[in-house]
Amino acid sequence: GSGRKSTWKGVMHACSRAGFPSVCLSWRGYDGTGLAYPFASHLGFIDDIDVLVNEIEKRWPGRPMVAVGISMGGHALARYVGVKGERCRLRAAVCISAGYSIVE
């Protein structure tokens, strides 16, 4: 949900110490942002991930990208990689504690 959580701050600091720049995506509706779509939930909505990947590629062309998603973010990341398939520009994706079904 939020890039302000201590979990993400720790991940981003560790990346920085290792020499890897990092960015964090906060889901719509978190960190004071509003929901721009009439959905009750944005679980499975991957357009924002695509926008972020495109922006990173535009700002730092050719730089390898790795993504980490936790919980709902892991679910969305797994869906993103699956939908993009061979067109996915991420070098790797790590999904932590991602639910495998939003129904059960």
Side-chain angles (χ1 to χ4, degrees):
S2 170
R4 295 182 186 182
K5 289 186 176 178
S6 62
T7 303
W8 284 117
K9 287 180 182 179
V11 169
M12 294 180 79
H13 285 298
C15 288
S16 179
R17 283 191 306 271
F20 301 110
S22 61
V23 297
C24 186
L25 171 67
S26 289
W27 291 109
R28 295 168 189 245
Y30 290 84
D31 286 341
T33 63
L35 290 172
Y37 299 96
F39 304 131
S41 171
H42 49 268
L43 183 61
F45 187 73
I46 60 172
D47 292 0
D48 290 343
I49 299 172
D50 206 34
V51 168
L52 182 61
V53 167
N54 288 336
E55 184 63 28
I56 291 169
E57 194 165 75
K58 185 170 73 174
R59 290 184 187 205
W60 300 286
R63 177 167 261 168
M65 289 182 277
V66 174
V68 177
I70 299 174
S71 190
M72 181 175 64
H75 176 85
L77 181 58
R79 185 170 186 277
Y80 175 79
V81 171
V83 167
K84 289 294 180 178
E86 293 294 321
R87 298 180 330 248
C88 184
R89 293 173 299 209
L90 299 174
R91 171 104 24 114
V94 179
C95 302
I96 302 168
S97 297
Y100 66 91
S101 172
I102 61 172
V103 178
E104 295 177 17

